[in-house]
Amino acid sequence: MRTALISLLSLALTSLVAAPAAAKSPVLVELFTSQGCSSCGKANQAAAELAERDDVLALTYSVDYWDYLGWKDTFAKPAFGERQRAYAKAFALRDVPTPQVVVAGKVQASGAKAETVEKLIDAAHLPPAPDMEFVGTGRVAIGSGASPRGGAEVWLVRFDPRKQEIAVKRGDNRGQTIVHRNVVREIVKIGAWTGRPKMYRLPALAKDDDLATAIIVQGAKGGRVLGVLPPGGKSR
């Protein structure tokens, strides 16, 4: 059994190296937002519209540092604020702005400026992405490619693709209904990537059939995005 499994995984890695071009990697657009942020509603709506595009993977992260204003964000987790702070350090920002959009890990802008974000997406020149493919339900294979100085990281993201409306009852947005799409519920670093083909075991997460899974390969510590594997497919 063990020999058969090793052969299967080796075959998957070999097929990635030799396979013809798969679907082009979508542009990763990450919105950092909060239900307690008075200027975030417009950004949430813009992100929901981006979620309809096939060439974009738009993810919404709720941060918790506005909870003190009187409303505790229903989706926020400390890990999402940590990811935003990594970007702030990479971009040499003095603070973490909200709402903030990060495009391909390379540039950032106010999430409330939809036209600016659209231009950044259209101007995103992505590097050649490594081939990526889910293998069964518990592994992901990543092919060869150029790894940046300082190395790269592989992240697993679990998000809810459904449209969700949250009625805010306290704080600056009291009485408003905030729209969410592609709400990130978990993000986990599953390993390092050095540019060589490698198979990664996905961590055991709480079963939730409503959540979708994506893989992000990017430079370490909030670096540029090298490739994105969207739910249910191959990517290159």
Side-chain angles (χ1 to χ4, degrees), residues 28-112:
L28 181 65
V29 178
E30 298 173 278
L31 169 66
F32 295 92
T33 183
S34 171
Q35 296 162 6
C37 161
S38 60
S39 58
C40 285
K42 186 176 180 181
N44 277 41
Q45 184 61 51
E49 293 172 3
L50 286 175
E52 300 292 338
R53 289 178 52 168
D54 293 333
D55 61 337
V56 168
L57 177 61
L59 298 176
T60 299
Y61 300 85
S62 287
V63 296
D64 60 3
Y65 50 77
W66 291 118
D67 287 358
Y68 76 93
L69 294 177
W71 177 257
K72 187 174 181 179
D73 193 292
T74 57
F75 299 123
K77 289 185 177 181
F80 306 154
E82 292 173 7
R83 183 168 179 82
Q84 188 184 21
R85 284 188 286 273
Y87 279 133
K89 187 173 182 179
F91 293 136
L93 301 178
R94 296 181 62 182
D95 205 349
V96 284
T98 313
Q100 181 189 36
V101 162
V102 177
V103 177
K106 295 169 56 177
V107 291
Q108 64 88 34
S110 168

